[in-house]
PDB file of all heavy atoms in Angstrom:
ATOM      1  N   ARG V 547      21.803  28.502  -8.139  1.00  0.00           N
ATOM      2  CA  ARG V 547      22.408  27.532  -7.162  1.00  0.00           C
ATOM      3  C   ARG V 547      22.909  26.326  -7.865  1.00  0.00           C
ATOM      4  O   ARG V 547      22.481  26.024  -8.976  1.00  0.00           O
ATOM      5  CB  ARG V 547      21.386  27.107  -6.180  1.00  0.00           C
ATOM      6  CG  ARG V 547      20.650  28.265  -5.424  1.00  0.00           C
ATOM      7  CD  ARG V 547      21.530  28.903  -4.418  1.00  0.00           C
ATOM      8  NE  ARG V 547      21.077  30.125  -3.925  1.00  0.00           N
ATOM      9  CZ  ARG V 547      21.011  30.568  -2.715  1.00  0.00           C
ATOM     10  NH1 ARG V 547      21.415  29.624  -1.735  1.00  0.00           N
ATOM     11  NH2 ARG V 547      20.493  31.703  -2.361  1.00  0.00           N
ATOM     12  N   ALA V 548      23.832  25.540  -7.224  1.00  0.00           N
ATOM     13  CA  ALA V 548      24.466  24.514  -7.908  1.00  0.00           C
ATOM     14  C   ALA V 548      23.603  23.213  -7.685  1.00  0.00           C
ATOM     15  O   ALA V 548      23.754  22.536  -6.686  1.00  0.00           O
ATOM     16  CB  ALA V 548      25.882  24.194  -7.262  1.00  0.00           C
ATOM     17  N   PHE V 549      22.610  23.045  -8.573  1.00  0.00           N
ATOM     18  CA  PHE V 549      21.901  21.815  -8.564  1.00  0.00           C
ATOM     19  C   PHE V 549      22.638  20.875  -9.638  1.00  0.00           C
ATOM     20  O   PHE V 549      22.847  21.238 -10.673  1.00  0.00           O
ATOM     21  CB  PHE V 549      20.458  21.985  -8.899  1.00  0.00           C
ATOM     22  CG  PHE V 549      19.598  22.593  -7.958  1.00  0.00           C
ATOM     23  CD1 PHE V 549      19.357  24.101  -8.079  1.00  0.00           C
ATOM     24  CD2 PHE V 549      19.091  21.897  -6.908  1.00  0.00           C
ATOM     25  CE1 PHE V 549      18.553  24.630  -7.117  1.00  0.00           C
ATOM     26  CE2 PHE V 549      18.280  22.526  -5.919  1.00  0.00           C
ATOM     27  CZ  PHE V 549      18.013  23.853  -6.031  1.00  0.00           C
ATOM     28  N   HIS V 550      22.943  19.582  -9.144  1.00  0.00           N
ATOM     29  CA  HIS V 550      23.702  18.775 -10.011  1.00  0.00           C
ATOM     30  C   HIS V 550      22.740  17.838 -10.822  1.00  0.00           C
ATOM     31  O   HIS V 550      22.153  16.927 -10.260  1.00  0.00           O
ATOM     32  CB  HIS V 550      24.698  17.939  -9.206  1.00  0.00           C
ATOM     33  CG  HIS V 550      25.582  18.809  -8.367  1.00  0.00           C
ATOM     34  ND1 HIS V 550      26.836  19.234  -8.844  1.00  0.00           N
ATOM     35  CD2 HIS V 550      25.551  19.483  -7.203  1.00  0.00           C
ATOM     36  CE1 HIS V 550      27.398  20.014  -7.994  1.00  0.00           C
ATOM     37  NE2 HIS V 550      26.583  20.106  -6.993  1.00  0.00           N
ATOM     38  N   ILE V 551      22.693  18.167 -12.135  1.00  0.00           N
ATOM     39  CA  ILE V 551      21.666  17.441 -12.951  1.00  0.00           C
ATOM     40  C   ILE V 551      22.261  16.125 -13.522  1.00  0.00           C
ATOM     41  O   ILE V 551      23.377  16.191 -14.070  1.00  0.00           O
ATOM     42  CB  ILE V 551      21.213  18.346 -14.187  1.00  0.00           C
ATOM     43  CG1 ILE V 551      20.896  19.734 -13.593  1.00  0.00           C
ATOM     44  CG2 ILE V 551      20.021  17.736 -14.779  1.00  0.00           C
ATOM     45  CD1 ILE V 551      19.755  19.910 -12.632  1.00  0.00           C
ATOM     46  N   GLU V 552      21.570  15.086 -13.319  1.00  0.00           N
ATOM     47  CA  GLU V 552      22.043  13.764 -13.949  1.00  0.00           C
ATOM     48  C   GLU V 552      21.042  13.151 -14.844  1.00  0.00           C
ATOM     49  O   GLU V 552      19.806  13.442 -14.674  1.00  0.00           O
ATOM     50  CB  GLU V 552      22.293  12.737 -12.735  1.00  0.00           C
ATOM     51  CG  GLU V 552      23.502  13.112 -11.889  1.00  0.00           C
ATOM     52  CD  GLU V 552      24.781  12.583 -12.554  1.00  0.00           C
ATOM     53  OE1 GLU V 552      24.692  11.841 -13.528  1.00  0.00           O
ATOM     54  OE2 GLU V 552      25.847  13.119 -12.083  1.00  0.00           O
ATOM     55  N   GLU V 553      21.487  12.408 -15.812  1.00  0.00           N
ATOM     56  CA  GLU V 553      20.638  11.712 -16.879  1.00  0.00           C
ATOM     57  C   GLU V 553      20.044  10.420 -16.408  1.00  0.00           C
ATOM     58  O   GLU V 553      18.983  10.093 -16.594  1.00  0.00           O
ATOM     59  CB  GLU V 553      21.334  11.584 -18.129  1.00  0.00           C
ATOM     60  CG  GLU V 553      21.258  12.813 -19.069  1.00  0.00           C
ATOM     61  CD  GLU V 553      19.801  13.090 -19.403  1.00  0.00           C
ATOM     62  OE1 GLU V 553      19.063  12.270 -19.834  1.00  0.00           O
ATOM     63  OE2 GLU V 553      19.408  14.255 -19.164  1.00  0.00           O
ATOM     64  N   SER V 554      21.007   9.539 -15.794  1.00  0.00           N
ATOM     65  CA  SER V 554      20.666   8.229 -15.514  1.00  0.00           C
ATOM     66  C   SER V 554      20.451   8.043 -13.952  1.00  0.00           C
ATOM     67  O   SER V 554      21.018   8.777 -13.217  1.00  0.00           O
ATOM     68  CB  SER V 554      21.730   7.303 -16.020  1.00  0.00           C
ATOM     69  OG  SER V 554      22.852   7.384 -15.306  1.00  0.00           O
ATOM     70  N   LEU V 555      19.684   6.997 -13.698  1.00  0.00           N
ATOM     71  CA  LEU V 555      19.500   6.576 -12.326  1.00  0.00           C
ATOM     72  C   LEU V 555      20.858   6.224 -11.662  1.00  0.00           C
ATOM     73  O   LEU V 555      21.155   6.694 -10.571  1.00  0.00           O
ATOM     74  CB  LEU V 555      18.635   5.353 -12.209  1.00  0.00           C
ATOM     75  CG  LEU V 555      17.194   5.528 -12.002  1.00  0.00           C
ATOM     76  CD1 LEU V 555      16.539   4.155 -11.628  1.00  0.00           C
ATOM     77  CD2 LEU V 555      16.901   6.431 -10.845  1.00  0.00           C
ATOM     78  N   THR V 556      21.546   5.417 -12.328  1.00  0.00           N
ATOM     79  CA  THR V 556      22.925   4.960 -11.733  1.00  0.00           C
ATOM     80  C   THR V 556      23.741   6.175 -11.512  1.00  0.00           C
ATOM     81  O   THR V 556      24.491   6.367 -10.538  1.00  0.00           O
ATOM     82  CB  THR V 556      23.591   3.920 -12.635  1.00  0.00           C
ATOM     83  OG1 THR V 556      22.554   2.913 -13.103  1.00  0.00           O
ATOM     84  CG2 THR V 556      24.822   3.303 -12.074  1.00  0.00           C
ATOM     85  N   GLY V 557      23.865   7.058 -12.551  1.00  0.00           N
ATOM     86  CA  GLY V 557      24.696   8.243 -12.487  1.00  0.00           C
ATOM     87  C   GLY V 557      24.279   9.100 -11.281  1.00  0.00           C
ATOM     88  O   GLY V 557      25.111   9.600 -10.477  1.00  0.00           O
ATOM     89  N   ALA V 558      22.966   9.222 -11.016  1.00  0.00           N
ATOM     90  CA  ALA V 558      22.522  10.052  -9.988  1.00  0.00           C
ATOM     91  C   ALA V 558      22.881   9.458  -8.677  1.00  0.00           C
ATOM     92  O   ALA V 558      23.291  10.242  -7.690  1.00  0.00           O
ATOM     93  CB  ALA V 558      20.962  10.251 -10.143  1.00  0.00           C
ATOM     94  N   ALA V 559      22.725   8.165  -8.513  1.00  0.00           N
ATOM     95  CA  ALA V 559      23.125   7.528  -7.238  1.00  0.00           C
ATOM     96  C   ALA V 559      24.581   7.643  -6.931  1.00  0.00           C
ATOM     97  O   ALA V 559      24.989   7.947  -5.841  1.00  0.00           O
ATOM     98  CB  ALA V 559      22.580   6.045  -7.260  1.00  0.00           C
ATOM     99  N   GLU V 560      25.398   7.413  -7.946  1.00  0.00           N
ATOM    100  CA  GLU V 560      26.867   7.471  -7.769  1.00  0.00           C
ATOM    101  C   GLU V 560      27.223   8.887  -7.364  1.00  0.00           C
ATOM    102  O   GLU V 560      28.141   9.044  -6.441  1.00  0.00           O
ATOM    103  CB  GLU V 560      27.515   6.964  -8.950  1.00  0.00           C
ATOM    104  CG  GLU V 560      27.405   5.375  -9.058  1.00  0.00           C
ATOM    105  CD  GLU V 560      27.887   4.840 -10.470  1.00  0.00           C
ATOM    106  OE1 GLU V 560      28.341   5.667 -11.327  1.00  0.00           O
ATOM    107  OE2 GLU V 560      28.023   3.734 -10.547  1.00  0.00           O
ATOM    108  N   ALA V 561      26.666   9.834  -7.979  1.00  0.00           N
ATOM    109  CA  ALA V 561      26.997  11.274  -7.601  1.00  0.00           C
ATOM    110  C   ALA V 561      26.584  11.539  -6.261  1.00  0.00           C
ATOM    111  O   ALA V 561      27.300  12.124  -5.443  1.00  0.00           O
ATOM    112  CB  ALA V 561      26.258  12.232  -8.542  1.00  0.00           C
ATOM    113  N   ALA V 562      25.375  11.130  -5.769  1.00  0.00           N
ATOM    114  CA  ALA V 562      24.933  11.331  -4.450  1.00  0.00           C
ATOM    115  C   ALA V 562      25.861  10.688  -3.379  1.00  0.00           C
ATOM    116  O   ALA V 562      26.253  11.329  -2.389  1.00  0.00           O
ATOM    117  CB  ALA V 562      23.467  10.840  -4.264  1.00  0.00           C
ATOM    118  N   VAL V 563      26.284   9.433  -3.752  1.00  0.00           N
ATOM    119  CA  VAL V 563      27.149   8.701  -2.763  1.00  0.00           C
ATOM    120  C   VAL V 563      28.425   9.496  -2.622  1.00  0.00           C
ATOM    121  O   VAL V 563      29.112   9.678  -1.607  1.00  0.00           O
ATOM    122  CB  VAL V 563      27.276   7.306  -3.234  1.00  0.00           C
ATOM    123  CG1 VAL V 563      28.451   6.584  -2.424  1.00  0.00           C
ATOM    124  CG2 VAL V 563      26.017   6.497  -3.098  1.00  0.00           C
ATOM    125  N   ARG V 564      28.986   9.970  -3.876  1.00  0.00           N
ATOM    126  CA  ARG V 564      30.303  10.639  -3.893  1.00  0.00           C
ATOM    127  C   ARG V 564      30.157  11.941  -3.036  1.00  0.00           C
ATOM    128  O   ARG V 564      31.053  12.262  -2.200  1.00  0.00           O
ATOM    129  CB  ARG V 564      30.501  11.057  -5.335  1.00  0.00           C
ATOM    130  CG  ARG V 564      32.029  10.899  -5.735  1.00  0.00           C
ATOM    131  CD  ARG V 564      32.148  10.995  -7.213  1.00  0.00           C
ATOM    132  NE  ARG V 564      31.350  11.977  -7.897  1.00  0.00           N
ATOM    133  CZ  ARG V 564      30.673  11.666  -8.960  1.00  0.00           C
ATOM    134  NH1 ARG V 564      30.554  10.432  -9.361  1.00  0.00           N
ATOM    135  NH2 ARG V 564      29.953  12.524  -9.587  1.00  0.00           N
ATOM    136  N   PHE V 565      29.053  12.733  -3.120  1.00  0.00           N
ATOM    137  CA  PHE V 565      28.970  13.891  -2.392  1.00  0.00           C
ATOM    138  C   PHE V 565      28.865  13.664  -0.866  1.00  0.00           C
ATOM    139  O   PHE V 565      29.468  14.337  -0.104  1.00  0.00           O
ATOM    140  CB  PHE V 565      27.640  14.716  -2.763  1.00  0.00           C
ATOM    141  CG  PHE V 565      27.783  15.399  -4.098  1.00  0.00           C
ATOM    142  CD1 PHE V 565      26.862  15.337  -5.076  1.00  0.00           C
ATOM    143  CD2 PHE V 565      28.954  16.177  -4.385  1.00  0.00           C
ATOM    144  CE1 PHE V 565      26.965  15.897  -6.324  1.00  0.00           C
ATOM    145  CE2 PHE V 565      29.060  16.803  -5.589  1.00  0.00           C
ATOM    146  CZ  PHE V 565      28.039  16.621  -6.550  1.00  0.00           C
ATOM    147  N   ALA V 566      28.107  12.566  -0.548  1.00  0.00           N
ATOM    148  CA  ALA V 566      27.930  12.273   0.787  1.00  0.00           C
ATOM    149  C   ALA V 566      29.281  11.855   1.501  1.00  0.00           C
ATOM    150  O   ALA V 566      29.577  12.123   2.636  1.00  0.00           O
ATOM    151  CB  ALA V 566      26.923  11.075   1.010  1.00  0.00           C
ATOM    152  N   GLN V 567      30.092  11.236   0.663  1.00  0.00           N
ATOM    153  CA  GLN V 567      31.427  10.874   1.215  1.00  0.00           C
ATOM    154  C   GLN V 567      32.404  11.961   1.312  1.00  0.00           C
ATOM    155  O   GLN V 567      33.275  12.069   2.294  1.00  0.00           O
ATOM    156  CB  GLN V 567      32.026   9.718   0.290  1.00  0.00           C
ATOM    157  CG  GLN V 567      31.319   8.361   0.578  1.00  0.00           C
ATOM    158  CD  GLN V 567      31.635   7.285  -0.347  1.00  0.00           C
ATOM    159  OE1 GLN V 567      32.340   7.594  -1.430  1.00  0.00           O
ATOM    160  NE2 GLN V 567      31.166   6.095  -0.173  1.00  0.00           N
ATOM    161  N   ASN V 568      32.301  12.781   0.249  1.00  0.00           N
ATOM    162  CA  ASN V 568      33.424  13.876   0.218  1.00  0.00           C
ATOM    163  C   ASN V 568      32.977  15.253   0.772  1.00  0.00           C
ATOM    164  O   ASN V 568      33.706  16.140   0.900  1.00  0.00           O
ATOM    165  CB  ASN V 568      33.716  14.145  -1.261  1.00  0.00           C
ATOM    166  CG  ASN V 568      34.290  12.853  -1.901  1.00  0.00           C
ATOM    167  OD1 ASN V 568      34.703  11.986  -1.282  1.00  0.00           O
ATOM    168  ND2 ASN V 568      34.216  12.804  -3.290  1.00  0.00           N
ATOM    169  N   GLY V 569      31.723  15.207   1.213  1.00  0.00           N
ATOM    170  CA  GLY V 569      31.251  16.503   1.879  1.00  0.00           C
ATOM    171  C   GLY V 569      30.689  17.478   0.841  1.00  0.00           C
ATOM    172  O   GLY V 569      30.614  17.218  -0.415  1.00  0.00           O
ATOM    173  N   SER V 570      30.333  18.569   1.367  1.00  0.00           N
ATOM    174  CA  SER V 570      29.552  19.616   0.494  1.00  0.00           C
ATOM    175  C   SER V 570      30.398  20.140  -0.584  1.00  0.00           C
ATOM    176  O   SER V 570      31.663  20.269  -0.446  1.00  0.00           O
ATOM    177  CB  SER V 570      29.107  20.715   1.459  1.00  0.00           C
ATOM    178  OG  SER V 570      29.198  21.986   0.858  1.00  0.00           O
ATOM    179  N   ASP V 571      29.775  20.567  -1.654  1.00  0.00           N
ATOM    180  CA  ASP V 571      30.480  21.003  -2.904  1.00  0.00           C
ATOM    181  C   ASP V 571      29.846  22.391  -3.348  1.00  0.00           C
ATOM    182  O   ASP V 571      29.278  22.416  -4.437  1.00  0.00           O
ATOM    183  CB  ASP V 571      30.380  19.946  -3.869  1.00  0.00           C
ATOM    184  CG  ASP V 571      31.358  20.318  -5.122  1.00  0.00           C
ATOM    185  OD1 ASP V 571      32.172  21.213  -4.937  1.00  0.00           O
ATOM    186  OD2 ASP V 571      31.321  19.498  -6.026  1.00  0.00           O
ATOM    187  N   VAL V 572      29.806  23.357  -2.478  1.00  0.00           N
ATOM    188  CA  VAL V 572      29.078  24.526  -2.585  1.00  0.00           C
ATOM    189  C   VAL V 572      29.350  25.330  -3.894  1.00  0.00           C
ATOM    190  O   VAL V 572      28.542  25.789  -4.616  1.00  0.00           O
ATOM    191  CB  VAL V 572      29.137  25.510  -1.449  1.00  0.00           C
ATOM    192  CG1 VAL V 572      28.301  26.750  -1.582  1.00  0.00           C
ATOM    193  CG2 VAL V 572      28.791  24.789  -0.169  1.00  0.00           C
ATOM    194  N   ASP V 573      30.673  25.285  -4.200  1.00  0.00           N
ATOM    195  CA  ASP V 573      31.104  26.070  -5.453  1.00  0.00           C
ATOM    196  C   ASP V 573      30.741  25.372  -6.686  1.00  0.00           C
ATOM    197  O   ASP V 573      30.816  26.056  -7.743  1.00  0.00           O
ATOM    198  CB  ASP V 573      32.576  26.241  -5.356  1.00  0.00           C
ATOM    199  CG  ASP V 573      33.138  26.807  -4.116  1.00  0.00           C
ATOM    200  OD1 ASP V 573      32.444  27.677  -3.447  1.00  0.00           O
ATOM    201  OD2 ASP V 573      34.164  26.299  -3.639  1.00  0.00           O
TER     202      ASP V 573
END
Side-chain angles (χ1 to χ4, degrees):
Chain V
R547 305 284 166 135
F549 289 98
H550 303 268
I551 314 296
E552 288 283 342
E553 271 302 307
S554 72
L555 261 192
T556 307
E560 287 172 353
V563 170
R564 221 166 37 235
F565 286 132
Q567 284 168 355
N568 301 337
S570 142
D571 193 6
V572 182
D573 310 322

